């Protein structure tokens, strides 16, 4: 019996010729990432274990993004302690508050490579699967075990294959595709499974778009989300990759627990309604709902092409007076590129607030906290009750173009109508 | 005899412990805000030993281990749910908070009912109504981690995961 990409990566990392779903393996980790929210608990746990040195400082990446720059005295204290930890452990890959969101920084800096096994103490670590690796989110104690030993136990997941054919139409984005899929599969429909996004349609989606799709794999419960690496992957990684890599592909006779297919060409703009990621419908169905805030950013949709999609809609116009629109580029690289191309100027001229790279409003800790009764249209990944502030606020998830069109009109708007 | 708190489907980690409290990491501080997004009175009214009964996909969302830490520090002695989100499930075990998957359980309990749980056998009893439910028993090494008080304590003893 052949193996899927996920099975092959786990087999290689655990020194086995073959693994099968359900099997428990102890695997060696290629890269381990922690951020400023999960690292403090990890460091506490590591000290609790009596471990003096992390197993391999070069394989550890530390990123400050959730509370960056420091959003409270406690956050500032955490940053101070973590900087000390990074220095003590001589961790070379440290990205302080000025670099961006972990899930953008790791791919940009060439850590996410085809065939690798990556763990991150953050649920959206599955984003890196867009580059053909097996990447999954873990908690802080598991991460302490990784930093101490370099390994972790995994249950080999069943694989699901989602084949995408056809081309996305004008003003329909990869975000609409993944929202539609989550609406069909359900918020727990892929729990414990690895989802492989394949097909010609997927190969036609940019690496940034693939990241958006894989990012939200966890919103249907997936342990990992993987796009088979191709020429586009190789081109994107040129000049970024840290070290060599060997692309891994699923065997022809690999077994899938379930197979689904989508025609991207038939898709229209989608929105996930409060308070669940799988309450998905066409934007047209909620057309006209008035919004107070529009958020464009996060590890789901804070990349350059997302900003460009939104800027095209706002060029030469002003956002509605009733809307506060926030744009937060996902990284310094994105920020700089958007700056030099005049994209940020378009936003500022349109009356938009442009903030420095961080998780920002998606975390509900700072920048754009919602009041009771307020409604936000957001390009991020979660619309759970209380996610962006008051539990009585409502969040609609949508594509960058839909966020921009809605900000322009002051109400939820199909981007094809502006 | 433990009392139960009953919650529905898709209780997210944002409901268990909202993002704005994550810079706090002292368990007692986190406990003050436990379940704030789902039941604001929870932290005030919870008693040591209480058990949470919930629907499907409990703990969905973030990898924040603050979630099981907050529940455990608030006094919760176990979570029994129709299903769990993957990362929360593992975090709870690593924190020594017992989690049990039990189909059909969420609709058959009301808040304040008394409950008895046998983790080894995988049996959940509603002592108020007399109903019994079959849960998935926990694997032996998971029980060992919980019994040790969490993965840290377990690793101190065993130095490896699977033995």
């Amino acid at each position: 019996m052949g193996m899927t990409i996920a099975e092959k990566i786990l087999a290689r990392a655990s020194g086995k010729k073959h693994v099968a779903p359900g099997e428990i393996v102890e695997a060696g980790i290629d890269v381990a990432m922690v951020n400023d929210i999960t690292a403090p608990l990890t460091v506490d746990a590591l000290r609790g274990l009596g471990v003096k040195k992390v197993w391999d400082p070069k394989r550890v990446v530390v990123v400050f993004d959730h509370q960056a720059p420091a959003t409270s005295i406690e956050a500032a204290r955490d940053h101070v302690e973590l900087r000390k930890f990074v220095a003590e452990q001589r961790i070379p890959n440290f990205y302080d508050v000025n670099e961006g969101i972990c899930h953008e920084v790791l791919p940009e800096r060439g850590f996410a490579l085809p065939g690798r096994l990556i763990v991150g103490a953050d649920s959206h670590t599955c984003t890196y699967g867009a580059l053909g690796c097996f990447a999954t989110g873990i908690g802080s104690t598991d991460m302490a075990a990784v930093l101490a030993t370099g390994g972790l136990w995994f249950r080999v997941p069943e694989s699901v294959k989602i084949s995408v054919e056809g081309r996305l139409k004008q003003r329909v984005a990869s975000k609409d595709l993944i929202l539609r899929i989550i609406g069909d599969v359900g918020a727990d429909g892929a729990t414990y499974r690895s989802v492989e996004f394949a097909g010609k349609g997927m190969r036609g989606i940019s690496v940034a778009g693939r990241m958006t799709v894989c990012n939200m794999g966890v919103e249907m419960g997936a342990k990992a989300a993987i796009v088979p690496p191709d020429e586009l992957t190789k081109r994107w990684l040129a000049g970024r990759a840290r070290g060599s890599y060997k692309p891994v592909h699923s065997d022809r006779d690999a077994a899938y627990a379930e197979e689904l297919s989508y025609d991207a060409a038939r898709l229209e703009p989608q929105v996930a309604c409060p308070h669940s990621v799988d309450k998905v419908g066409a934007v047209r169905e909620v057309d006209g709902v008035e919004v107070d805030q529009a958020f464009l950013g996060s590890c789901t949709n804070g990349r350059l092409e997302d900003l460009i999609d939104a800027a095209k809609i706002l060029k030469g116009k002003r956002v509605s007076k009733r809307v506060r629109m926030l744009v937060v580029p996902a990284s310094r690289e994105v920020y700089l590129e958007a700056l030099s191309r005049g994209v940020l100027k378009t936003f500022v001229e349109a009356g938009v607030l442009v903030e420095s790279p961080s998780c920002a409003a998606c975390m509900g800790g700072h920048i754009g906290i919602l009041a009771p009764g307020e409604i936000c249209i957001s390009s991020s990944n979660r619309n759970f009750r209380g996610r962006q502030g008051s539990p009585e606020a409502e969040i609609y998830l949508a594509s960058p173009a839909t966020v921009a069109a809605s900000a322009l009109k002051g109400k939820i708007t199909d981007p094809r109508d502006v | 005899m433990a009392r139960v708190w009953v919650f529905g489907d898709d209780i997210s980690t944002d409901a268990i412990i909202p993002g704005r409290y994550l810079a706090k990491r002292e368990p007692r501080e986190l406990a003050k805000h436990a379940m704030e997004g789902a039941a604001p009175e929870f932290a005030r009214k919870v008693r040591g030993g209480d058990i949470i009964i919930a629907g499907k996909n409990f703990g969905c969302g973030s990898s924040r281990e603050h979630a099981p830490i907050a529940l455990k520090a608030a006094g919760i002695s176990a979570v029994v749910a129709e299903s769990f989100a993957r990362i929360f499930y593992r975090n709870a075990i690593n924190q020594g908070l017992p989690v049990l998957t039990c189909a059909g359980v969420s609709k058959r309990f009301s808040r304040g009912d008394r409950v008895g749980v046998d983790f080894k056998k995988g049996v959940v009893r509603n002592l108020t109504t007399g109903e019994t439910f079959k849960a998935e028993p926990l694997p032996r090494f998971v029980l060992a981690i919980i019994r040790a008080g969490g993965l840290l304590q377990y690793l101190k003893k065993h130095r490896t995961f699977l033995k």
Side-chain angles (χ1 to χ4, degrees):
Chain A
M1 177 62 85
M3 290 190 286
T4 62
I5 299 180
E7 288 154 11
K8 282 186 178 177
I9 294 174
L10 286 173
R12 192 265 307 152
S14 54
K16 295 187 167 202
K17 276 214 174 90
H18 192 275
V19 297
E23 196 175 330
I24 307 270
V25 297
E26 202 166 339
I29 303 298
D30 297 313
V31 177
M33 185 280 296
V34 287
N35 61 44
D36 54 346
I37 280 286
T38 54
L41 289 175
T42 304
V43 173
D44 286 351
L46 209 54
R47 295 207 171 115
L49 272 175
V51 174
K52 297 268 184 313
K53 283 268 159 212
V54 303
W55 108 100
D56 187 351
K58 288 192 301 299
R59 291 177 188 266
V60 180
V61 187
V62 180
V63 187
F64 289 178
D65 55 2
H66 281 62
Q67 339 187 83
T71 54
S72 65
I73 295 170
E74 285 135 324
R77 171 206 66 190
D78 285 350
H79 287 170
V80 168
E81 287 175 15
L82 289 172
R83 286 186 191 108
K84 223 184 275 169
F85 173 77
V86 163
E88 273 165 23
Q89 296 290 330
R90 303 190 180 185
I91 294 170
N93 312 306
F94 169 49
Y95 301 96
D96 210 315
V97 295
N98 55 339
E99 290 293 346
I101 307 174
C102 55
H103 304 314
E104 181 63 11
V105 171
L106 264 77
E108 277 178 3
R109 304 304 174 100
F111 291 101
L113 298 176
R116 280 194 172 174
L117 174 60
I118 303 179
V119 292
D122 190 282
S123 60
H124 292 108
T125 300
C126 53
T127 309
Y128 318 148
L131 293 157
C133 49
F134 185 101
T136 192
I138 61 174
S140 293
T141 302
D142 270 342
M143 183 54 82
V146 170
L147 296 192
T149 67
L152 193 66
W153 69 269
F154 294 89
R155 179 185 166 280
V156 178
E158 285 81 16
S159 291
V160 176
K161 187 178 191 168
I162 298 183
S163 301
V164 180
E165 303 302 332
R167 253 190 126 72
L168 291 165
K169 288 215 186 86
Q170 189 79 358
R171 297 237 160 131
V172 182
S174 56
K175 179 63 163 287
D176 299 307
L177 173 65
I178 189 62
L179 285 177
R180 186 62 261 150
I181 292 172
I182 294 168
D184 296 339
V185 172
D188 63 345
T191 300
Y192 299 105
R193 292 174 161 183
S194 170
V195 181
E196 197 173 309
F197 293 97
K200 224 173 165 177
M202 210 58 221
R203 287 199 290 280
I205 291 176
S206 69
V207 168
R210 295 174 186 186
M211 285 196 223
T212 301
V213 170
C214 290
N215 175 272
M216 291 196 72
V218 69
E219 309 312 333
M220 46 182 170
K223 180 169 186 162
I226 306 178
V227 176
D230 57 12
E231 268 310 303
L232 199 59
T233 319
K234 221 167 113 186
R235 254 185 285 145
W236 195 88
L237 285 170
R240 295 183 191 271
R242 282 183 194 236
S244 59
Y245 61 90
K246 222 172 115 193
V248 176
H249 292 277
S250 292
D251 291 326
R252 248 180 222 195
D253 58 344
Y256 294 92
E258 208 178 336
E259 296 193 40
L260 301 170
S261 57
Y262 281 84
D263 182 358
R266 292 179 56 185
L267 207 64
E268 53 178 317
Q270 304 285 308
V271 63
C273 300
H275 299 278
S276 170
V277 279
D278 58 3
K279 243 171 111 180
V280 176
V283 172
R284 292 230 196 275
E285 291 167 32
V286 288
D287 228 350
V289 171
E290 292 193 333
V291 298
D292 303 289
Q293 183 162 297
F295 171 51
L296 172 60
S298 85
C299 54
T300 315
N301 278 125
R303 284 174 275 277
L304 185 65
E305 68 175 48
D306 302 323
L307 271 49
I308 290 173
D309 277 357
K312 276 185 191 156
I313 288 172
L314 296 175
K315 181 95 188 152
K317 297 177 181 149
R318 282 199 62 107
V319 299
S320 162
K321 274 200 178 124
R322 58 163 291 128
V323 178
R324 313 176 291 273
M325 182 167 173
L326 306 165
V327 171
V328 186
S331 70
R332 192 161 61 88
E333 184 181 309
V334 172
Y335 195 105
L336 201 54
E337 192 59 31
L339 191 65
S340 66
R341 291 188 189 206
V343 175
L344 299 186
K345 185 162 180 270
T346 299
F347 287 132
V348 177
E349 282 171 349
V352 171
L353 291 160
V354 179
E355 301 285 337
S356 61
S358 79
C359 301
C362 184
M363 251 294 284
H366 70 142
I367 304 185
I369 291 176
L370 301 174
E374 283 199 314
I375 293 175
C376 175
I377 182 124
S378 176
S379 74
S380 58
N381 42 49
R382 287 184 178 139
N383 58 352
F384 302 150
R385 198 182 279 283
R387 174 79 180 178
Q388 296 185 7
S390 167
E392 280 94 53
E394 294 187 339
I395 305 161
Y396 290 80
L397 304 176
S399 73
T402 303
V403 169
S406 305
L408 192 64
K409 297 290 177 193
K411 55 191 186 189
I412 295 179
T413 302
D414 189 313
R416 296 170 302 178
D417 294 342
V418 296
Chain B
M1 253 194 306
R3 286 188 326 166
V4 304
W5 289 79
V6 183
F7 294 98
D9 294 339
D10 302 314
I11 295 295
S12 73
T13 51
D14 282 288
I16 300 170
I17 184 79
R20 60 187 172 281
Y21 303 123
L22 296 185
K24 303 181 191 299
R25 59 184 204 269
E26 301 75 17
R28 250 190 264 168
E29 281 300 309
L30 291 169
K32 286 182 194 162
H33 304 286
M35 299 306 288
E36 196 171 288
E41 74 283 11
F42 181 90
R44 240 180 323 112
K45 296 195 173 160
V46 66
R47 276 191 245 143
D50 283 0
I51 284 177
I52 288 177
I53 303 272
K56 64 182 179 68
N57 207 23
F58 187 87
C60 59
S62 152
S63 68
R64 59 186 74 155
E65 204 158 319
H66 309 68
I69 292 174
L71 294 181
K72 200 180 172 196
I76 289 298
S77 64
V79 183
V80 180
E82 314 251 349
S83 68
F84 289 91
R86 184 183 64 82
I87 306 176
F88 176 87
Y89 184 75
R90 206 160 151 152
N91 283 347
I93 291 164
N94 286 344
Q95 284 297 329
L97 173 68
V99 276
L100 211 58
T101 307
C102 185
V105 79
S106 71
K107 303 260 178 337
R108 311 299 299 165
F109 275 88
S110 311
R111 184 159 155 187
D113 282 358
R114 306 279 150 172
V115 62
V117 180
D118 185 329
F119 293 101
K120 225 159 133 192
K121 289 193 188 138
V123 175
V124 178
R125 281 195 187 87
N126 185 332
L127 302 170
T128 305
T129 65
E131 260 186 295
T132 298
F133 304 88
K134 189 88 197 90
E136 291 169 26
L138 294 174
R140 206 148 43 129
F141 83 101
V142 169
L143 265 178
I145 292 172
I146 288 172
R147 228 179 271 131
L151 185 67
L152 271 192
Q153 285 72 13
Y154 178 86
L155 278 179
K156 274 191 216 162
K157 252 192 260 167
H158 300 269
R159 308 307 303 186
T160 180
F161 302 108
L162 301 179
K163 283 178 194 114

